[in-house]
Amino acid sequence: MKFFYVFHAKRLKQMILILVAAFFTAMFMFMETTIHLPVFSTKDAPKALYKGEKGVALTFNIGWGDEKAEPILDLLKKENVTSATFFLSGSWAESHPDIVERIAKSGYEIGILGYNYEDYTELEEDKIRQDLARAQTAFAKLNIKDIKYVRPPTGHFDKKTLAAAKQLGYTVVHWSLDSKDWTNPGTDKIIQKVLEAENGEIVLMHASDSVKQTSKALPSILNGFKKEQLELVTISEMMANANATTEEIN
């Protein structure tokens, strides 16, 4: 006995579309629960800056340590670098007022790297706000005023972080190029990575004691920027030059 199965073409197409949609929905939900996905903020939502259009912004995070910050400042002075942005944790700034003063007097921009080194995505919004407010107080005591920018201590942030920062009058700054200097991969690798920068890049570097090769890599990086005629700017200078690209991490 022979059996014949007849499929209605339209119904078959509908079933395929439903299966495909279900597959991509499941995949998206899985990814959303396992990694941070970058999405663009809505027009009225708090935003995070991660890229500009003109110039390259070298940014240095400092959260702890006594040894690496000043050699990096010495090198920037030697190379006549007048524009850089330092994100400092409030607790570190309190313990190193002389270095904070030197950064400010050198004309470099200062941003807040929280107060304590905590992952803001694991905190409630009021706790994030308290940490930022504590850092704000610490910088005010050091006579560092008009701070505009915040970088979450671990680099991880979400809508709560953006809302807390906005409420205190700050804008969150991420980065578009990670030097990976904190992994100490070797001077040559740091140089190679940073020299991938193009106009508009916000480059993440560090001046905490965890980095062993950053100061050795900087002369070649700065020389490479000169050859490529890339202008070094602060975050504020970059944002003043052109519209910035914004990002929100869920």
Side-chain angles (χ1 to χ4, degrees):
M1 182 180 294
K2 296 181 178 180
F3 295 89
F4 294 90
Y5 294 88
V6 179
F7 293 92
H8 193 287
K10 186 175 180 180
R11 181 171 296 177
L12 179 60
K13 184 177 180 180
Q14 289 175 338
M15 290 175 63
I16 292 172
L17 288 174
I18 291 170
L19 288 171
V20 170
F23 171 78
F24 280 105
T25 299
M27 183 174 68
F28 178 82
M29 292 178 66
F30 169 77
M31 292 174 67
E32 190 176 38
T33 59
T34 55
I35 63 174
H36 296 287
L37 288 177
V39 298
F40 290 103
S41 300
T42 60
K43 182 178 179 180
D44 298 322
K47 299 174 177 64
L49 305 175
Y50 80 97
K51 199 168 187 179
E53 289 184 8
K54 295 182 181 179
V56 172
L58 280 184
T59 68
F60 296 89
N61 286 5
I62 309 180
W64 68 281
D66 306 294
E67 299 178 1
K68 299 301 181 182
E70 292 198 274
I72 287 175
L73 288 169
D74 291 340
L75 194 147
L76 293 176
K77 181 179 179 180
K78 180 181 177 182
E79 297 290 336
N80 296 313
V81 175
T82 58
S83 292
T85 302
F86 285 80
F87 288 92
L88 313 176
S89 77
S91 59
W92 182 87
E94 283 180 334
S95 301
H96 302 82
D98 293 343
I99 302 178
V100 176
E101 183 180 14
R102 180 180 174 184
I103 292 170
K105 285 186 174 180
S106 296
Y108 301 133
E109 186 166 42
I110 292 177
I112 292 177
L113 193 69
Y115 184 87
N116 292 312
Y117 193 84
E118 297 185 87
D119 187 338
Y120 280 1
T121 63
E122 296 179 357
L123 300 181
E124 295 299 323
E125 186 176 324
D126 64 328
K127 295 295 183 183
I128 298 171
R129 197 159 44 246
Q130 288 172 20
D131 188 72
L132 290 174
R134 190 176 180 188
Q136 186 178 53
T137 299
F139 284 105
K141 289 180 179 178
L142 295 173
N143 203 32
I144 304 300
K145 302 176 181 178
D146 301 322
I147 295 178
K148 300 176 183 177
Y149 303 110
V150 161
R151 176 170 282 165
T154 64
H156 298 149
F157 62 95
D158 53 18
K159 291 180 179 179
K160 301 191 307 291
T161 307
L162 296 173
K166 183 179 181 181
Q167 195 168 32
L168 291 173
Y170 300 117
T171 298
V172 173
V173 175
H174 200 48
W175 56 82
S176 58
L177 194 155
D178 185 352
S179 69
K180 303 288 187 182
D181 61 344
W182 58 275
T183 66
N184 297 306
T187 303
D188 290 343
K189 287 188 177 180
I190 295 172
I191 294 168
Q192 181 181 9
K193 183 63 180 177
V194 177
L195 289 183
E196 294 175 3
E198 300 176 347
N199 266 315
E201 302 279 15
I202 297 176
V203 180
L204 171 65
M205 303 190 80
H206 298 78
S208 293
D209 282 3
S210 56
V211 295
K212 310 298 182 185
Q213 300 146 353
T214 301
S215 59
K216 295 177 182 178
L218 273 172
S220 295
I221 289 169
L222 297 172
N223 187 51
F225 286 160
K226 288 178 183 177
K227 287 182 179 178
E228 294 297 323
Q229 297 184 328
L230 289 171
E231 180 186 6
L232 291 177
V233 297
T234 64
I235 295 295
S236 288
E237 289 168 343
M238 176 177 280
M239 297 310 125
N241 286 339
N243 292 327
T245 305
T246 58
E247 181 185 43
E248 176 184 313
I249 304 294
N250 284 334

